[in-house]
């Protein structure tokens, strides 16, 4: 099968991670030599990963492994939370960032998204929304930019967003669930105070597992220790990924660190694929030319076919499955997203030819 599911392309395990999954699958298997704090475990080498490789990789002063991108976002929001506080998010934000804010007791305000077909976030929108919130008497405790968003794969000028947020003394979190592990990302270069990443989305790890980056300025607040147990970091509930999940993240790391350097090639492939699909009558939404492997299409040509196809709107899923292509949700024809990440050119050509054939024969 060729898998084009955007949720799954970046989380496919490396052979090393697959072995780690079997080796560390037993409950609490990593805890034999724990001195009382997950990050301090030297055998297996969690200490070196969390204090060395990981913060260097994402360009932060301090890093932690969490149970997912949403857990990373929640930890930060909860730590910064205040009565009458609110979070400003981009209008393309993932539902989990809104849920995290809600659970942290914070109001949410969204930076508007432009209309079809681009669905752009204008960085200047952050100034407007932050100012509006502040005037209304709410304190903006955090801004979030989804980098890129999980629908259109749009990449916003994060440096500009961080500069604007800092003008208002608002810290910025970059939600990098779709970027850390695929493309080079450095919180320091982009001016972000926090970074959240997803191991099972983009770092070839078995989830749930995520990463969190914190700048020096916020270390004492976000990573503060429990009053009852001085070894345990409160927002992380003491220990986060305490088993096979963290071991798969570590096992894949050398491959992941190397693969982000191939990012330009991934963008070229995504652009080529998008052009081919457009020549078949589909319309790519979002940034154009596109800057990410996650691509959203509007497909009127397939929608028309679904109106009279024998299987109705399920025809596309069935026709693709027949050709051993998996990853477009069953029942979708008019709009769908897919990913070209790490697929060889021959496979991408095969997928394009399959769409051409389906349009020609079923349509
Ligand atoms: C997948 C995704 C998430 C959630 O990641 P988890 O690690 O599963 O919590 C958050 N934000 C975006 C943009 C995503 O695509």
């Amino acid at each position: 099968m060729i898998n084009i599911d955007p949720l799954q392309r970046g989380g496919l395990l490396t052979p090393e991670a697959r072995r780690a999954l079997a080796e560390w699958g037993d409950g609490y298997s990593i805890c034999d030599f724990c001195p009382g704090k997950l990050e301090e475990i030297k055998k297996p080498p969690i200490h070196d990963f969390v204090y060395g490789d990981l913060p260097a990789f994402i360009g932060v002063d301090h890093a932690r492994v969490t149970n997912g991108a949403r857990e990373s976002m929640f930890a930060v929001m909860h730590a910064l939370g205040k009565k009458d506080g609110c979070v400003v998010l981009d209008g393309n934000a993932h539902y989990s960032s809104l849920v995290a804010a809600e659970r942290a007791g914070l109001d949410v305000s969204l930076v508007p998204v432009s209309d079809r077909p681009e669905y752009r976030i204008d960085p200047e929108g952050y100034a407007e929304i932050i100012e509006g919130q502040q005037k209304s008497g709410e304190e903006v405790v955090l801004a979030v930019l989804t980098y890129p968003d999980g629908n259109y794969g749009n990449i916003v000028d994060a440096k500009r967003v961080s500069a604007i947020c800092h003008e208002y003394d608002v810290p910025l979190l970059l939600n990098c669930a779709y970027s850390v592990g695929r493309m080079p990302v450095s919180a320091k270069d982009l001016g972000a105070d926090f970074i959240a990443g997803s191991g099972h989305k983009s770092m070839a790890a078995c989830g749930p597992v995520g990463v969190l980056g914190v700048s020096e300025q916020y270390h004492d607040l976000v990573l503060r220790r429990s009053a009852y147990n001085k070894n345990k970091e409160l927002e992380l509930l003491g220990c986060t990924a305490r088993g096979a999940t963290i071991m798969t993240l570590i096992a894949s790391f050398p491959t992941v660190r190397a693969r982000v350097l191939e990012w330009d090639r991934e963008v070229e492939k995504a652009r080529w694929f998008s052009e081919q699909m457009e020549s078949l009558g589909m319309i790519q939404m979002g940034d154009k030319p596109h800057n990410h492997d996650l691509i959203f299409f509007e497909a009127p040509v397939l929608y028309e076919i679904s109106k009279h196809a024998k299987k109705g709107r399920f025809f596309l899923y069935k026709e693709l499955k027949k050709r051993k292509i998996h990853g477009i949700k069953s029942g979708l024809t008019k709009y769908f997203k897919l990913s070209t990440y790490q697929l060889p050119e021959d496979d991408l050509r095969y997928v394009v030819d399959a769409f051409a054939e389906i349009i020609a024969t079923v349509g």
Side-chain angles (χ1 to χ4, degrees), residues 32-352:
D32 288 353
F33 303 106
C34 181
K37 191 168 187 298
L38 178 73
E39 295 75 33
E40 302 291 341
I41 298 176
K42 297 222 163 101
K43 213 179 132 186
I46 294 172
H47 173 280
D48 293 356
F49 180 68
V50 175
Y51 292 132
D53 288 338
L54 183 58
F57 182 60
I58 54 178
V60 293
D61 298 316
H62 305 281
R64 291 293 182 268
V65 173
T66 66
N67 286 317
R70 70 196 66 196
E71 282 82 358
S72 299
M73 294 191 281
F74 176 70
V76 172
M77 291 175 185
H78 189 257
L80 298 180
K82 283 195 182 132
K83 193 171 172 303
D84 297 322
C86 92
V87 181
V88 170
L89 303 127
D90 58 290
N92 283 332
H94 191 254
Y95 83 88
S96 62
S97 31
L98 283 92
V99 168
E102 187 179 0
R103 184 181 172 201
L106 294 163
D107 275 344
V108 159
S109 195
L110 298 178
V111 175
V113 191
S114 77
D115 290 339
R116 174 194 180 280
E118 282 195 299
Y119 300 100
R120 270 190 74 244
I121 299 287
D122 179 359
E124 308 306 320
Y126 276 83
E128 216 168 294
I129 298 295
I130 291 172
E131 245 173 67
Q133 287 306 115
Q134 290 180 339
K135 278 198 191 117
S136 80
E138 277 199 322
E139 182 176 350
V140 182
V141 299
L142 180 72
V144 174
L145 171 64
T146 320
Y147 188 82
D149 72 273
N151 232 5
Y152 308 106
N154 280 353
I155 298 200
V156 178
D157 182 351
K159 265 191 201 172
R160 182 70 195 126
V161 173
S162 69
I164 290 171
C165 293
H166 292 151
E167 273 173 38
Y168 294 91
D169 285 327
V170 173
L172 175 69
L173 180 148
L174 291 181
N175 174 7
C176 296
Y178 260 114
S179 53
V180 164
R182 294 174 185 249
M183 55 187 263
V185 178
S186 163
K188 286 208 172 119
D189 290 352
L190 298 172
D193 304 273
F194 307 102
I195 203 163
S198 176
H200 44 284
K201 179 72 76 47
S202 298
M203 300 178 81
C206 153
V209 70
V211 298
L212 167 65
V214 178
S215 70
E216 184 60 41
Q217 188 185 348
Y218 291 95
H219 171 276
D220 291 352
L221 176 62
V222 173
L223 299 175
R224 71 194 182 283
R225 306 286 181 102
S226 159
Y228 301 106
N229 191 318
K230 62 177 174 37
N231 270 331
K232 306 298 184 187
E233 286 164 352
L234 198 56
E235 299 296 352
L236 306 180
L237 295 175
C239 288
T240 53
R242 45 203 179 278
T245 61
I246 192 171
M247 296 313 296
T248 63
L249 187 72
I250 293 173
S252 282
F253 184 71
T255 304
V256 165
R257 183 165 54 187
R259 80 186 189 182
V260 301
L261 303 176
E262 309 293 319
W263 181 244
D264 289 350
R265 185 79 200 102
E266 290 297 335
V267 172
E268 267 174 44
K269 280 192 299 168
R271 288 179 181 180
W272 176 84
F273 186 85
S274 165
E275 274 168 32
Q276 300 299 310
M277 293 286 271
E278 292 213 316
S279 74
L280 297 175
M282 284 161 274
I283 311 155
Q284 186 230 299
M285 300 289 118
D287 291 344
K288 218 192 255 183
H290 209 50
N291 301 309
H292 196 271
D293 59 271
L294 169 63
I295 319 176
F296 187 103
F297 290 102
E298 205 174 273
V301 49
L302 295 170
Y303 179 62
E304 285 308 314
I305 296 173
S306 76
K307 288 183 186 165
H308 53 78
K310 215 163 51 199
K311 311 266 187 200
R313 64 194 180 91
F314 295 97
F315 91 94
L316 181 61
Y317 179 82
K318 300 238 159 89
E319 290 293 330
L320 289 171
K321 190 173 172 187
K322 240 196 272 176
R323 293 168 177 82
K324 299 203 176 305
I325 297 168
H326 165 85
I328 291 179
K329 273 198 192 143
S330 170
L332 297 186
T333 58
K334 198 176 187 179
Y335 308 101
F336 53 81
K337 50 186 182 176
L338 53 77
S339 164
T340 54
Y341 190 59
Q342 287 210 313
L343 281 170
E345 280 148 64
D346 287 351
D347 285 6
L348 291 179
R349 159 87 49 198
Y350 175 84
V351 174
V352 169

